[in-house]
Amino acid sequence: YTMARFPPFYIWFLAWFFKLVTPSLLSLWLFPALLSCLTLVVAYLAARRTGNRSLTFFFTALTALSFWPVYAARYSHPAVLMLFWEYLALWRLVCFVRSDDAHRTKEAFWLGLTVGTGFYTFTAWPAAAVVFSIPVLAQVRQSLKKKWLLCAVYFSTVLTFLAPIFRHMEKEGY
């Protein structure tokens, strides 16, 4: 993390956005509003992957009209990225759970990539990472001899993204 002790993704994405749009107070407020709209799209994709149209509509409408996405769109704060990343991880989790055995290792990698990069979004992400790791462990618990590769792929991907954070923590003397 930086000297401010915030994960860097929000600052990096905001800097990238400022390269596209002239930095101003309007563009500072526009970025979280666009991110909130993108969160709605990712929530739709996560619900759509379940295959149930009524659930997709209900989930997307609930996300669009609920308090947190509307509230988060008003402030330029790193916590805005947390909700987007949670829905992105939920989408990858649904893809992992609904995939067949031939594609499950690939989906474990993508879920691990999403959960691993989530540690760079907001400081509360470790709690979400535990929740997203439980279904992977549940899959492995069913048949440890056959599905150990899923667990290895998932956790090695997550730990790959945690290694720089652990290195920084060691360097700073946490």
Side-chain angles (χ1 to χ4, degrees):
Y1 298 144
T2 62
M3 293 302 290
R5 305 289 189 249
F6 268 112
F9 268 12
Y10 186 76
I11 304 298
W12 291 348
F13 290 151
L14 192 62
W16 176 77
F17 184 72
F18 282 162
K19 293 222 182 257
L20 296 175
V21 178
T22 305
S24 67
L25 194 55
L26 177 66
S27 62
L28 186 65
W29 289 338
L30 182 63
F31 180 70
L34 292 176
L35 192 59
S36 184
C37 292
L38 194 57
T39 299
L40 187 63
V41 171
V42 174
Y44 169 78
L45 291 173
R48 186 71 184 144
R49 187 73 172 147
T50 63
N52 189 339
R53 288 186 180 191
S54 59
L55 176 68
T56 301
F57 174 75
F58 180 72
F59 188 75
T60 307
L62 194 63
T63 301
L65 301 174
S66 67
F67 173 75
W68 180 241
V70 174
Y71 182 74
R74 298 185 59 191
Y75 301 103
S76 186
H77 188 271
V80 175
L81 199 55
M82 177 85 174
L83 187 66
F84 171 76
W85 226 266
E86 284 174 343
Y87 280 127
L88 189 64
L90 179 65
W91 176 39
R92 297 314 316 169
L93 179 64
V94 171
C95 290
F96 171 76
V97 170
R98 304 228 357 138
S99 65
D100 55 350
D101 287 336
H103 295 100
R104 190 151 295 161
T105 305
K106 180 181 80 165
E107 294 299 335
F109 170 77
W110 286 113
L111 178 62
L113 182 73
T114 307
V115 171
T117 54
F119 284 97
Y120 296 91
T121 59
F122 194 62
T123 53
W125 183 259
V130 169
V131 171
F132 288 115
S133 299
I134 290 172
V136 177
L137 292 173
Q139 288 287 325
V140 173
R141 189 182 67 85
Q142 291 173 359
S143 174
L144 184 60
K145 291 182 181 178
K146 293 180 182 177
K147 298 186 179 181
W148 67 269
L149 183 62
L150 292 175
C151 192
V153 167
Y154 173 76
F155 283 107
S156 64
T157 308
V158 170
L159 289 175
T160 300
F161 287 98
L162 275 175
I165 295 172
F166 289 148
R167 171 75 170 96
H168 181 74
M169 289 171 69
E170 177 187 353
K171 181 180 165 188
E172 292 292 321
Y174 282 103

Short mmCIF file of all heavy atoms in Angstrom, two decimals, residues 148-173:
data_model
loop_
_atom_site.label_atom_id
_atom_site.label_comp_id
_atom_site.label_asym_id
_atom_site.label_seq_id
_atom_site.Cartn_x
_atom_site.Cartn_y
_atom_site.Cartn_z
N TRP A 148 -8.03 -31.41 -5.83
CA TRP A 148 -6.99 -30.65 -5.16
C TRP A 148 -6.40 -29.59 -6.08
O TRP A 148 -5.95 -28.55 -5.63
CB TRP A 148 -5.89 -31.57 -4.64
CG TRP A 148 -5.12 -32.23 -5.75
CD1 TRP A 148 -5.40 -33.42 -6.33
CD2 TRP A 148 -3.98 -31.72 -6.42
NE1 TRP A 148 -4.52 -33.69 -7.33
CE2 TRP A 148 -3.62 -32.65 -7.41
CE3 TRP A 148 -3.22 -30.56 -6.30
CZ2 TRP A 148 -2.54 -32.47 -8.27
CZ3 TRP A 148 -2.14 -30.38 -7.15
CH2 TRP A 148 -1.81 -31.33 -8.12
N LEU A 149 -6.43 -29.85 -7.40
CA LEU A 149 -5.88 -28.90 -8.35
C LEU A 149 -6.66 -27.58 -8.34
O LEU A 149 -6.07 -26.51 -8.49
CB LEU A 149 -5.89 -29.51 -9.76
CG LEU A 149 -5.28 -28.66 -10.87
CD1 LEU A 149 -3.80 -28.41 -10.59
CD2 LEU A 149 -5.46 -29.33 -12.20
N LEU A 150 -7.98 -27.67 -8.15
CA LEU A 150 -8.79 -26.45 -8.07
C LEU A 150 -8.32 -25.57 -6.93
O LEU A 150 -8.14 -24.35 -7.09
CB LEU A 150 -10.27 -26.80 -7.85
CG LEU A 150 -11.02 -27.49 -8.97
CD1 LEU A 150 -12.41 -27.85 -8.50
CD2 LEU A 150 -11.07 -26.60 -10.17
N CYS A 151 -8.13 -26.17 -5.79
CA CYS A 151 -7.69 -25.43 -4.61
C CYS A 151 -6.29 -24.86 -4.83
O CYS A 151 -6.02 -23.71 -4.49
CB CYS A 151 -7.72 -26.34 -3.40
SG CYS A 151 -7.53 -25.48 -1.84
N ALA A 152 -5.42 -25.63 -5.44
CA ALA A 152 -4.05 -25.17 -5.69
C ALA A 152 -4.03 -24.01 -6.66
O ALA A 152 -3.33 -23.01 -6.45
CB ALA A 152 -3.21 -26.32 -6.22
N VAL A 153 -4.81 -24.10 -7.74
CA VAL A 153 -4.86 -23.02 -8.72
C VAL A 153 -5.44 -21.76 -8.09
O VAL A 153 -4.90 -20.66 -8.25
CB VAL A 153 -5.67 -23.44 -9.97
CG1 VAL A 153 -6.01 -22.26 -10.84
CG2 VAL A 153 -4.92 -24.49 -10.75
N TYR A 154 -6.54 -21.91 -7.37
CA TYR A 154 -7.20 -20.75 -6.77
C TYR A 154 -6.29 -20.04 -5.76
O TYR A 154 -6.04 -18.84 -5.85
CB TYR A 154 -8.50 -21.18 -6.10
CG TYR A 154 -9.17 -20.08 -5.31
CD1 TYR A 154 -9.86 -19.07 -5.95
CD2 TYR A 154 -9.08 -20.05 -3.92
CE1 TYR A 154 -10.46 -18.05 -5.23
CE2 TYR A 154 -9.67 -19.04 -3.20
CZ TYR A 154 -10.36 -18.04 -3.86
OH TYR A 154 -10.94 -17.04 -3.15
N PHE A 155 -5.79 -20.79 -4.79
CA PHE A 155 -5.01 -20.17 -3.73
C PHE A 155 -3.64 -19.70 -4.19
O PHE A 155 -3.12 -18.71 -3.68
CB PHE A 155 -4.91 -21.10 -2.51
CG PHE A 155 -6.16 -21.13 -1.72
CD1 PHE A 155 -6.99 -22.24 -1.74
CD2 PHE A 155 -6.54 -20.04 -0.96
CE1 PHE A 155 -8.18 -22.26 -1.01
CE2 PHE A 155 -7.72 -20.05 -0.23
CZ PHE A 155 -8.53 -21.16 -0.27
N SER A 156 -3.04 -20.37 -5.17
CA SER A 156 -1.76 -19.87 -5.68
C SER A 156 -1.96 -18.56 -6.43
O SER A 156 -1.11 -17.66 -6.36
CB SER A 156 -1.08 -20.91 -6.57
OG SER A 156 -1.86 -21.16 -7.73
N THR A 157 -3.08 -18.41 -7.13
CA THR A 157 -3.37 -17.14 -7.81
C THR A 157 -3.61 -16.03 -6.79
O THR A 157 -3.10 -14.92 -6.94
CB THR A 157 -4.59 -17.29 -8.73
OG1 THR A 157 -4.40 -18.41 -9.59
CG2 THR A 157 -4.80 -16.05 -9.57
N VAL A 158 -4.38 -16.32 -5.76
CA VAL A 158 -4.63 -15.32 -4.72
C VAL A 158 -3.33 -14.93 -4.02
O VAL A 158 -3.04 -13.74 -3.82
CB VAL A 158 -5.67 -15.83 -3.69
CG1 VAL A 158 -5.76 -14.91 -2.49
CG2 VAL A 158 -7.04 -15.97 -4.34
N LEU A 159 -2.52 -15.91 -3.68
CA LEU A 159 -1.26 -15.63 -2.97
C LEU A 159 -0.25 -14.89 -3.85
O LEU A 159 0.59 -14.14 -3.33
CB LEU A 159 -0.65 -16.92 -2.43
CG LEU A 159 -1.41 -17.52 -1.25
CD1 LEU A 159 -0.81 -18.86 -0.87
CD2 LEU A 159 -1.42 -16.58 -0.07
N THR A 160 -0.34 -15.07 -5.16
CA THR A 160 0.53 -14.31 -6.06
C THR A 160 0.28 -12.82 -5.92
O THR A 160 1.22 -12.02 -5.93
CB THR A 160 0.29 -14.76 -7.52
OG1 THR A 160 0.59 -16.15 -7.63
CG2 THR A 160 1.15 -13.97 -8.48
N PHE A 161 -0.98 -12.44 -5.78
CA PHE A 161 -1.30 -11.02 -5.62
C PHE A 161 -1.13 -10.54 -4.18
O PHE A 161 -1.01 -9.34 -3.95
CB PHE A 161 -2.72 -10.74 -6.12
CG PHE A 161 -2.81 -10.80 -7.60
CD1 PHE A 161 -3.27 -11.94 -8.23
CD2 PHE A 161 -2.41 -9.72 -8.37
CE1 PHE A 161 -3.33 -12.00 -9.61
CE2 PHE A 161 -2.47 -9.77 -9.74
CZ PHE A 161 -2.93 -10.92 -10.37
N LEU A 162 -1.10 -11.45 -3.24
CA LEU A 162 -0.86 -11.06 -1.85
C LEU A 162 0.63 -10.91 -1.54
O LEU A 162 0.98 -10.22 -0.58
CB LEU A 162 -1.46 -12.10 -0.91
CG LEU A 162 -2.92 -11.94 -0.58
CD1 LEU A 162 -3.39 -13.10 0.27
CD2 LEU A 162 -3.17 -10.64 0.14
N ALA A 163 1.49 -11.51 -2.33
CA ALA A 163 2.92 -11.47 -2.06
C ALA A 163 3.48 -10.05 -1.97
O ALA A 163 4.23 -9.75 -1.03
CB ALA A 163 3.68 -12.29 -3.11
N PRO A 164 3.15 -9.13 -2.90
CA PRO A 164 3.67 -7.76 -2.74
C PRO A 164 3.15 -7.07 -1.48
O PRO A 164 3.88 -6.27 -0.87
CB PRO A 164 3.18 -7.04 -4.00
CG PRO A 164 2.89 -8.10 -4.98
CD PRO A 164 2.48 -9.29 -4.19
N ILE A 165 1.94 -7.37 -1.09
CA ILE A 165 1.39 -6.77 0.13
C ILE A 165 2.15 -7.29 1.35
O ILE A 165 2.53 -6.53 2.24
CB ILE A 165 -0.12 -7.05 0.24
CG1 ILE A 165 -0.86 -6.35 -0.89
CG2 ILE A 165 -0.66 -6.59 1.59
CD1 ILE A 165 -2.32 -6.70 -0.98
N PHE A 166 2.39 -8.61 1.39
CA PHE A 166 3.16 -9.18 2.49
C PHE A 166 4.59 -8.63 2.52
O PHE A 166 5.13 -8.36 3.58
CB PHE A 166 3.19 -10.70 2.41
CG PHE A 166 1.87 -11.35 2.72
CD1 PHE A 166 1.52 -12.54 2.10
CD2 PHE A 166 0.98 -10.79 3.62
CE1 PHE A 166 0.31 -13.15 2.39
CE2 PHE A 166 -0.22 -11.40 3.91
CZ PHE A 166 -0.55 -12.58 3.29
N ARG A 167 5.16 -8.44 1.35
CA ARG A 167 6.52 -7.88 1.27
C ARG A 167 6.54 -6.46 1.83
O ARG A 167 7.44 -6.09 2.57
CB ARG A 167 6.99 -7.90 -0.19
CG ARG A 167 8.25 -7.16 -0.46
CD ARG A 167 9.46 -7.95 0.03
NE ARG A 167 10.68 -7.34 -0.43
CZ ARG A 167 11.41 -6.49 0.28
NH1 ARG A 167 11.04 -6.15 1.47
NH2 ARG A 167 12.51 -5.99 -0.21
N HIS A 168 5.55 -5.68 1.47
CA HIS A 168 5.47 -4.30 1.98
C HIS A 168 5.23 -4.28 3.49
O HIS A 168 5.79 -3.46 4.19
CB HIS A 168 4.37 -3.53 1.26
CG HIS A 168 4.24 -2.13 1.70
ND1 HIS A 168 5.15 -1.16 1.35
CD2 HIS A 168 3.33 -1.51 2.49
CE1 HIS A 168 4.80 -0.01 1.90
NE2 HIS A 168 3.69 -0.20 2.60
N MET A 169 4.39 -5.19 3.97
CA MET A 169 4.13 -5.26 5.40
C MET A 169 5.40 -5.62 6.16
O MET A 169 5.68 -5.07 7.22
CB MET A 169 3.03 -6.28 5.69
CG MET A 169 1.66 -5.83 5.25
SD MET A 169 0.41 -7.12 5.36
CE MET A 169 0.26 -7.31 7.11
N GLU A 170 6.19 -6.51 5.60
CA GLU A 170 7.45 -6.88 6.24
C GLU A 170 8.42 -5.70 6.22
O GLU A 170 9.10 -5.42 7.21
CB GLU A 170 8.07 -8.07 5.50
CG GLU A 170 9.40 -8.49 6.02
CD GLU A 170 10.06 -9.55 5.15
OE1 GLU A 170 9.43 -10.06 4.21
OE2 GLU A 170 11.23 -9.86 5.42
N LYS A 171 8.46 -4.99 5.11
CA LYS A 171 9.36 -3.85 4.96
C LYS A 171 8.99 -2.71 5.92
O LYS A 171 9.86 -2.06 6.49
CB LYS A 171 9.31 -3.36 3.51
CG LYS A 171 10.20 -2.20 3.21
CD LYS A 171 10.06 -1.82 1.75
CE LYS A 171 10.65 -0.46 1.50
NZ LYS A 171 10.37 -0.01 0.14
N GLU A 172 7.70 -2.48 6.09
CA GLU A 172 7.24 -1.40 6.96
C GLU A 172 7.19 -1.79 8.44
O GLU A 172 6.93 -0.95 9.28
CB GLU A 172 5.84 -0.93 6.52
CG GLU A 172 5.82 -0.24 5.18
CD GLU A 172 6.53 1.11 5.20
OE1 GLU A 172 6.39 1.84 6.22
OE2 GLU A 172 7.21 1.42 4.24
N GLY A 173 7.39 -3.07 8.73
CA GLY A 173 7.44 -3.52 10.12
C GLY A 173 6.09 -3.68 10.78
O GLY A 173 5.91 -3.36 11.95
#
